[in-house]
């Protein structure tokens, strides 16, 4: 990060002194997103000495230009190449082409459509068990008792590593907190995980592999020479870091919108094939990955703004996904809106989310089971968001699930 005064010298880039990691902004990010889009194509966030973009077209441009906007400085706020980095780099999302191209190709094979199809049956069975339990209770917290219960069983089963399920949530939260500033939220999360950090280190080693899952396939690919020797473990870690909390956040957000919009739920009941569209629409509106960063690889012009070398640029995906220039009536949830491949909640460009088909498969299985068996989802309390630096995710969503008549 650079000093605020030097970074904006000789430039007309507007300065915002808002803290995007303040709890009130995380609770209700839309006023900040609006200000970010309105202020200009690029702004300077004075509190952290970084640039930020929130308009759809500019965000898209940055994410597609991996030559001028590097990932190797880290996709979080701090530069992982410099002293004070809060975490170790990801072996896939924090490397640039051509190294990235090779790693990505190897990992793509591990989760090919053929491999994923094999998981559909067990995901559907798991969804059935979760919905059985929820319907028996009627009144549930849809985040903890429905979505977390499903994702923790389904995805961690497919990942295939030995680690207590309860640890996944705290470790996932730690990871997304490490992508933000060294603030109170980050420190609280580090204290919580301190007792389980050794388990975490062990979880992505060969001895923790449960046969049949993605982890085993990653180590097999390493043995075939598709990953550099000794890097299979950190590839497993990248799935563990990126695949659990994001999906919980995305499916939780979908259920929130469906509970708040009964007419949209009716449309799904009439046409269950729309569940994937509902998921994409929900992650457009409540983008789980709030912000991802790049680093400028030299001085670069972006929409008439001259950006300095070696500066972080925050791409606020949630702001871009509600840009009225791109999405008419952007705050409305509509399962008829076809936004898959258009919204940037799953990134775009060479680093676009490699796990998106897994996330969509999970969403399809649990939402499909709910649509099949639930007549109404009634909100019985206010949805509450968790405070996590780089992730927008619900803590709780109290609902009553009313079963369809037998
Ligand atoms: C709703 C669920 C998900 C959301 C919102 C999400 C979001 C994202 C975003 C925004 C990126 C781009 C990062 C960048 O450009 O720097 C990304 C990349 C990535 N995601 Fe996801 N993700 C989800 C699910 C998953 C799952 C289930 C997995 C693993 C199985 C996964 C693994 C990854 C990996 C490894 C990358 C890095 C890809 C690369 O750099 O080439 N994600 N994800």
């Amino acid at each position: 990060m650079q000093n605020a005064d030097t970074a904006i010298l000789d430039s007309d880039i507007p300065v915002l002194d808002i803290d995007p990691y303040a709890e009130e902004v995380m609770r209700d990010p839309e006023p900040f997103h609006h200000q970010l889009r309105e202020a200009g194509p690029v702004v300077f966030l004075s509190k952290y000495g970084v640039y930020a973009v929130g308009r759809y077209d500019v965000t898209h441009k940055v994410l597609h230009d991996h030559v001028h906007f590097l990932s190797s400085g880290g996709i979080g706020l701090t530069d992982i190449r410099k002293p004070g980095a809060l975490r170790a780099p990801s072996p896939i999302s924090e490397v640039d082409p051509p190294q990235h191209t090779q790693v990505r190709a190897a990992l793509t094979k591990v989760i090919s459509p053929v491999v994923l199809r094999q998981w559909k049956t067990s995901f559907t069975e798991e969804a059935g068990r979760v919905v059985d339990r929820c319907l028996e209770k009627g009144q549930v917290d849809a985040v903890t008792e429905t979505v977390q219960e499903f994702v923790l069983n389904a995805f961690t089963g497919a990942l295939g590593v030995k680690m207590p399920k309860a640890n996944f949530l705290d470790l996932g939260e730690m990871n997304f907190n490490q992508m933000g500033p060294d603030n109170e939220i980050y420190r609280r999360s580090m204290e919580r995980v301190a007792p389980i950090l050794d388990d975490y280190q062990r979880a992505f080693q060969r001895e923790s592999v449960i046969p049949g899952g993605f982890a085993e396939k990653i180590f097999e690919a390493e043995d075939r020479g598709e990953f550099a020797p000794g890097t299979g473990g950190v590839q497993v870690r990248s799935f563990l870091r990126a695949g659990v909390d994001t999906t919980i956040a995305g499916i939780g957000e979908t259920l929130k919108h469906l509970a708040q919009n009964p007419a949209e739920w009716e449309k799904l009941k009439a046409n269950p094939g729309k569940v994937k569209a509902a998921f994409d629409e929900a992650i457009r509106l409540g983008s789980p990955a709030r912000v991802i960063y790049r680093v400028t690889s030299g001085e670069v012009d972006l929409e008439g703004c001259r950006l300095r070398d070696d500066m972080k640029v925050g791409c606020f995906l949630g702001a871009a996904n509600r840009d009225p220039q791109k999405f008419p009536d952007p705050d409305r949830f509509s399962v008829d809106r076809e936004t898959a491949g258009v919204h940037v909640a799953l990134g775009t460009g060479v680093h676009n989310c490699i796990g998106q088909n897994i996330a969509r498969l999970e969403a399809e299985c649990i939402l499909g089971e709910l649509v099949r068996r639930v007549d109404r989802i009634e909100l019985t309390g206010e949805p509450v968001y968790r405070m996590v630096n780089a992730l927008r995710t619900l803590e709780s969503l109290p609902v009553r699930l009313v079963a369809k008549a037998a």
Side-chain angles (χ1 to χ4, degrees):
M1 277 187 286
Q2 293 188 4
N3 175 286
D5 293 328
T6 56
I8 58 162
L9 209 68
D10 305 327
S11 141
D12 291 330
I13 296 175
V15 178
L16 287 187
D17 64 1
I18 304 173
D19 178 0
Y21 300 99
E23 296 203 5
E24 65 274 17
V25 176
M26 292 213 251
R27 227 164 260 124
D28 177 16
E30 294 321 319
F32 164 66
H33 288 165
H34 179 77
Q35 238 177 313
L36 182 60
R37 287 188 303 261
E38 289 293 304
V42 182
V43 305
F44 185 76
L45 296 177
S46 53
K47 184 165 170 68
Y48 297 109
V50 297
Y51 299 116
V53 299
R55 294 183 185 173
Y56 179 88
D57 53 349
V58 192
T59 305
H60 204 265
K61 205 174 254 181
V62 171
L63 293 178
H64 276 268
D65 183 353
H66 58 81
V67 173
H68 296 102
F69 299 98
L70 306 177
S71 291
S72 48
I75 63 168
L77 173 68
T78 51
D79 193 321
I80 52 174
R81 302 164 303 181
K82 296 184 180 166
L86 300 180
R87 65 203 183 93
S90 153
I92 175 161
S93 64
E94 292 169 332
V95 290
D96 298 311
Q99 194 190 342
H100 171 263
T101 318
Q102 200 186 342
V103 172
R104 172 109 186 179
L107 218 46
T108 301
K109 275 204 259 169
V110 168
I111 49 171
S112 69
V114 177
V115 174
L116 288 197
R117 264 199 298 279
Q118 296 161 4
W119 289 98
K120 189 165 182 179
T121 311
S122 71
F123 284 10
T124 307
E125 285 167 4
E126 185 52 41
R129 281 191 287 274
V130 169
V131 174
D132 279 348
R133 282 197 295 273
C134 290
L135 280 177
E136 231 168 73
K137 287 184 78 176
Q139 169 78 43
V140 291
D141 188 316
V143 170
T144 54
E145 294 175 273
T146 315
V147 185
Q148 281 179 10
E149 196 58 25
F150 169 70
V151 173
L152 283 180
N153 286 327
F155 180 75
T156 63
L159 185 60
V161 298
K162 286 183 210 136
M163 185 167 83
K165 290 203 181 72
N167 291 3
F168 277 91
L169 291 178
D170 282 341
L171 290 166
E173 188 167 309
M174 170 194 81
N175 171 49
F176 283 97
N177 280 326
Q178 285 176 326
M179 289 169 72
D182 182 356
N183 58 6
E184 201 38 46
I185 295 175
Y186 162 74
R187 287 189 289 272
R188 277 200 304 265
S189 150
M190 291 310 288
E191 273 169 32
R192 246 193 333 272
V193 296
I196 54 171
L197 280 182
D198 286 347
D199 292 350
Y200 177 46
Q201 295 303 327
R202 266 193 302 276
F204 48 85
Q205 307 304 328
R206 275 177 193 263
E207 66 265 24
S208 299
V209 164
I210 299 171
F214 304 139
E216 184 185 46
K217 289 195 173 356
I218 289 175
F219 284 112
E220 284 168 0
E222 183 191 334
D223 294 341
R224 287 194 301 272
E226 293 173 18
F227 294 118
T231 61
V234 283
Q235 298 295 348
V236 174
R237 188 189 61 191
S238 70
F239 273 26
L240 208 142
R241 273 179 173 181
V244 181
D245 300 64
T246 47
T247 314
I248 291 173
I251 302 175
E253 187 73 14
T254 315
L255 287 180
K256 183 194 87 171
H257 288 290
L258 289 170
Q260 288 174 334
N261 296 278
E264 300 302 303
W265 177 250
E266 290 302 319
K267 285 185 197 166
L268 288 196
K269 279 165 48 190
N271 185 355
K274 279 185 180 289
V275 290
K276 282 205 220 172
F279 174 70
D280 274 287
E281 173 67 342
I283 62 174
R284 176 187 71 79
L285 278 169
S287 305
R290 299 178 58 219
V291 49
I292 50 177
Y293 288 82
R294 297 293 189 255
V295 182
T296 53
S297 62
E299 283 195 9
V300 54
D301 282 323
L302 182 62
E303 302 285 308
C305 302
R306 187 86 185 144
L307 308 195
R308 289 171 174 261
D309 177 25
D310 198 28
M311 288 287 291
K312 282 267 173 172
V313 183
C315 299
F316 283 81
L317 305 183
N321 279 333
R322 288 195 189 217
D323 185 342
Q325 300 295 324
K326 184 67 187 176
F327 302 100
D329 198 1
D331 300 330
R332 192 167 62 87
F333 173 76
S334 165
V335 300
D336 297 322
R337 215 195 283 258
E338 296 288 340
T339 57
V342 181
H343 68 65
V344 288
L346 296 155
T348 184
V350 295
H351 287 279
N352 75 80
C353 180
I354 200 171
Q356 57 188 283
N357 289 336
I358 306 179
R360 288 209 180 87
L361 178 64
E362 289 176 65
E364 191 186 355
C365 292
I366 185 72
L367 296 172
E369 191 66 13
L370 286 165
V371 165
R372 201 169 67 76
R373 298 172 58 189
V374 172
D375 186 44
R376 295 192 310 281
I377 305 179
E378 298 169 351
L379 262 187
T380 55
E382 278 300 303
V384 176
Y385 280 89
R386 259 159 74 190
M387 295 296 105
V388 186
N389 280 330
L391 188 75
R392 179 143 179 85
T393 190
L394 283 161
E395 166 118 53
S396 126
L397 180 68
V399 296
R400 185 172 12 259
L401 298 179
V402 181
K404 285 184 181 171

